[in-house]
Amino acid sequence: MNTLDTIVLVFYFALLMIIGVIGIKKAKSEKDFLLAGSRLGYFRHVGCLAAVIIGGAATMGSTTLGYDFGISGFWFVSMMGLGIAGLGLFVVNKIGGYDVFTISQLLGKRFGEGTQLISAIVTAIYTLMIVVTQVIGMGNVIHVLLGWSVTSSMFIGGGIVFFYTVLGGMWSITLTDIIQFIVMTVGVFFIMLPYSVDHVGGLTALFEKVPDTHRSLTNIGWGQIFQYFLLYFFGLIVSQDIWQRVFTAKSQKVMKQSAVSAGLYSVFYAVALSIVGMCALVLLPNLDNSQSAFTSLALTILPPGLLGLVLASVCSALMSNASGAIFASATLITNDIIKVYIKKDMDGCSVIKTSRIVTIVLGLLSVIFSLWIQNILVALDMAYAILSGAIFVPLVVGLYWKRVTSEAAFYAIISSTIIIFATFGIYGISSTWPIIYGLVTGLVVLVGVTVLTPARKTKIFQTRSTRETYSYKK
């Protein structure tokens, strides 16, 4: 790689670390550290939401699918976009009034501490797997660019993210996300896409040169499209890293508008990268590993300087997603497990300190898991299968059906999680069946236990904007 490109990347990484230091001064309270004070306006909030959706798996994975399947590769990230738009349209009005930091806290308010604990464990596993996908992506990018070993590349890329996340919490993540969103947008839409299309002779020439199947919107298969719907539409609606970003908005109106806008942005991003993947197939038809399609194409067609900026955009996507996910996991463990069951008298300063320690531990674990799995799409499938199959039904049904009991939600999460892991062993971790079995099991148990255990007591809890009554057995 050219010296100029190396300088661009080094400067970018240094900027992120400086922002991490700045974040320390802004994170003065627990709410500042965990939710950036909940005072982001529309434009900053859109950037943060888009940055957390579009990670390494979205960027590298969409290009890989474009290389392998053509334009139908856009379904992958588009389902994520539809999921966050669905969150904004159908769920934000139900969650916006609660003074909580995590999904598990909301479930705890609704169903009790037992449900809060089990949902925190399940969701923390999901968020940790999201971090794994990003560390794998960072390792692949740095390995291709600098020729370092994959292990060293993962430690270095992950280390930068963990550094600024540990220091400033959500404020550091928010500040870096805004920069990363801008870099991602410029790198993909204004440099990589037009350069790729130009090198194959234009869009018309591209569609003439790729196989006929690559021009079909359903080449990837209806079964795969359905799996993406189950994984990512449901998963994004109940994703802790997404929720934590949603809560950084200054109002419920901003939450809704920015969620829908970020969803639309994701669809355009997916189409752009699928086209880039198709260009890579035309220009580099004999790649040993299609997961390197994006970086290999960038190294082939981009001039010095622009190459560094585009590769910085890839790192932006990876880092923004990794920082949000690892912070979400640390927040879950700190607020819903340690603070509730181990150290109940923690004040704001203790929460911040504990969150930092947990983040460091999770960072090391994520690198270890990354070295073990080493496949972005497989790791992402595992993460969203666990989340969609086990958490979606109790959370969403519980928000809309006040009759649901605490026992029903608790056993629904437990049984769904067991079924998902059992069917992983039977059908494999890339199969759609574990998610389907998890959703069906959760719904059957939730409804069955609720109907069979009449409510004995009514619990009324006050939100910031509503007063709602829920029935549960105590």
Side-chain angles (χ1 to χ4, degrees), residues 102-104 116-132 238-241 325-334 336-337 358 362 365-366 369 383 386-387 391:
T102 69
I103 291 175
S104 302
Q116 181 174 350
L117 174 62
I118 190 62
S119 63
I121 294 171
V122 171
T123 311
I125 293 172
Y126 148 75
T127 50
L128 182 61
M129 291 305 298
I130 293 295
V131 181
V132 169
V238 293
S239 173
Q240 169 61 27
D241 49 334
I326 196 156
F327 192 62
S329 189
T331 302
L332 284 161
I333 292 172
T334 302
D336 298 322
I337 298 176
V358 172
L362 292 175
L365 285 176
S366 67
F369 282 119
I386 295 167
L387 185 69
I391 300 296

Side-chain angles (χ1 to χ4, degrees), residues 164-410:
Y164 69 74
T165 303
V166 166
L167 290 181
M170 186 56 77
W171 260 119
S172 290
I173 294 171
T174 298
L175 294 173
T176 55
D177 275 356
I178 295 168
I179 295 173
Q180 288 163 343
F181 173 71
I182 295 171
V183 173
M184 284 161 47
T185 302
V186 172
V188 171
F189 289 102
F190 296 99
I191 299 177
M192 194 64 185
L193 178 61
Y195 264 85
S196 300
V197 172
D198 181 66
H199 273 73
V200 298
L203 281 176
T204 301
L206 170 65
F207 281 90
E208 290 175 350
K209 292 176 181 178
V210 296
D212 292 343
T213 54
H214 277 52
R215 296 193 290 269
S216 170
L217 290 174
T218 58
N219 182 41
I220 200 168
W222 284 109
Q224 187 64 67
I225 294 171
F226 182 58
Q227 183 180 30
Y228 288 153
F229 173 73
L230 292 175
L231 286 170
Y232 305 125
F233 179 78
F234 291 148
L236 263 291
I237 288 178
V238 293
S239 173
Q240 169 61 27
D241 49 334
I242 302 298
W243 275 40
Q244 202 159 348
R245 301 298 179 89
V246 167
F247 287 141
T248 62
K250 66 180 182 181
S251 69
Q252 197 172 112
K253 180 180 179 181
V254 171
M255 290 180 189
K256 290 183 178 181
Q257 292 177 342
S258 57
V260 173
S261 299
L264 292 174
Y265 177 90
S266 302
V267 174
F268 288 118
Y269 194 89
V271 172
L273 284 174
S274 295
I275 293 174
V276 169
M278 294 165 67
C279 293
L281 177 65
V282 172
L283 298 172
L284 304 169
N286 299 313
L287 285 179
D288 293 331
N289 184 357
S290 59
Q291 285 197 99
S292 66
F294 188 100
T295 50
S296 297
L297 183 61
L299 289 167
T300 302
I301 68 173
L302 295 180
L306 289 182
L307 174 61
L309 184 58
V310 167
L311 295 177
S313 72
V314 177
C315 292
S316 294
L318 293 159
M319 291 178 169
S320 60
N321 204 281
S323 59
I326 196 156
F327 192 62
S329 189
T331 302
L332 284 161
I333 292 172
T334 302
N335 281 270
D336 298 322
I337 298 176
I338 296 176
K339 189 175 181 180
V340 175
Y341 293 95
I342 299 175
K343 193 176 180 181
K344 297 183 178 182
D345 60 344
M346 283 199 297
D347 56 16
C349 291
S350 297
V351 169
I352 294 174
K353 181 179 179 180
T354 304
S355 295
R356 286 173 170 153
I357 295 172
V358 172
T359 301
I360 293 172
V361 174
L362 292 175
L364 294 173
L365 285 176
S366 67
V367 174
I368 293 171
F369 282 119
S370 300
L371 294 171
W372 172 46
I373 298 174
Q374 295 203 11
N375 186 295
I376 292 176
L377 295 179
V378 169
L380 198 69
D381 285 351
M382 290 180 64
Y384 278 98
I386 295 167
L387 185 69
S388 300
I391 300 296
F392 179 83
V393 168
L395 177 65
V396 175
V397 175
L399 286 173
Y400 281 91
W401 187 22
K402 297 179 181 181
R403 173 70 175 78
V404 176
T405 65
S406 56
E407 289 88 348
F410 179 80

Side-chain angles (χ1 to χ4, degrees), residues 39-221:
R39 52 180 182 265
L40 298 187
Y42 171 76
F43 291 105
R44 286 198 295 174
H45 200 238
V46 169
C48 290
L49 283 180
V52 75
I53 300 170
I54 308 232
T59 303
M60 312 294 282
S62 292
T63 309
T64 298
L65 293 174
Y67 189 95
D68 293 335
F69 300 102
I71 194 66
S72 65
F74 91 102
W75 287 108
F76 170 41
V77 174
S78 292
M79 287 301 177
M80 295 183 181
L82 292 176
I84 195 167
L87 173 64
L89 291 172
F90 306 117
V91 181
V92 158
N93 64 321
K94 286 289 183 179
I95 66 175
Y98 298 109
D99 190 17
V100 296
F101 299 137
T102 69
I103 291 175
S104 302
Q105 281 182 319
L106 179 57
L107 286 168
K109 284 178 177 287
R110 176 70 175 86
F111 299 118
E113 289 187 356
T115 304
Q116 181 174 350
L117 174 62
I118 190 62
S119 63
I121 294 171
V122 171
T123 311
I125 293 172
Y126 148 75
T127 50
L128 182 61
M129 291 305 298
I130 293 295
V131 181
V132 169
T133 67
Q134 309 315 307
V135 174
I136 292 171
M138 283 185 280
N140 287 334
V141 170
I142 296 173
H143 171 67
V144 170
L145 296 180
L146 303 178
W148 296 347
S149 70
V150 173
T151 302
S152 300
S153 299
M154 288 182 181
F155 270 106
I156 292 170
I160 294 171
V161 174
F162 305 146
F163 175 80
Y164 69 74
T165 303
V166 166
L167 290 181
M170 186 56 77
W171 260 119
S172 290
I173 294 171
T174 298
L175 294 173
T176 55
D177 275 356
I178 295 168
I179 295 173
Q180 288 163 343
F181 173 71
I182 295 171
V183 173
M184 284 161 47
T185 302
V186 172
V188 171
F189 289 102
F190 296 99
I191 299 177
M192 194 64 185
L193 178 61
Y195 264 85
S196 300
V197 172
D198 181 66
H199 273 73
V200 298
L203 281 176
T204 301
L206 170 65
F207 281 90
E208 290 175 350
K209 292 176 181 178
V210 296
D212 292 343
T213 54
H214 277 52
R215 296 193 290 269
S216 170
L217 290 174
T218 58
N219 182 41
I220 200 168

Side-chain angles (χ1 to χ4, degrees), residues 380-443:
L380 198 69
D381 285 351
M382 290 180 64
Y384 278 98
I386 295 167
L387 185 69
S388 300
I391 300 296
F392 179 83
V393 168
L395 177 65
V396 175
V397 175
L399 286 173
Y400 281 91
W401 187 22
K402 297 179 181 181
R403 173 70 175 78
V404 176
T405 65
S406 56
E407 289 88 348
F410 179 80
Y411 289 120
I413 295 173
I414 288 284
S415 58
S416 296
T417 303
I418 292 172
I419 290 296
I420 289 169
F421 278 102
T423 48
F424 272 155
I426 297 171
Y427 297 103
I429 57 179
S430 60
S431 173
T432 306
W433 288 110
I435 315 162
I436 296 174
Y437 282 128
L439 288 167
V440 172
T441 301
L443 185 60

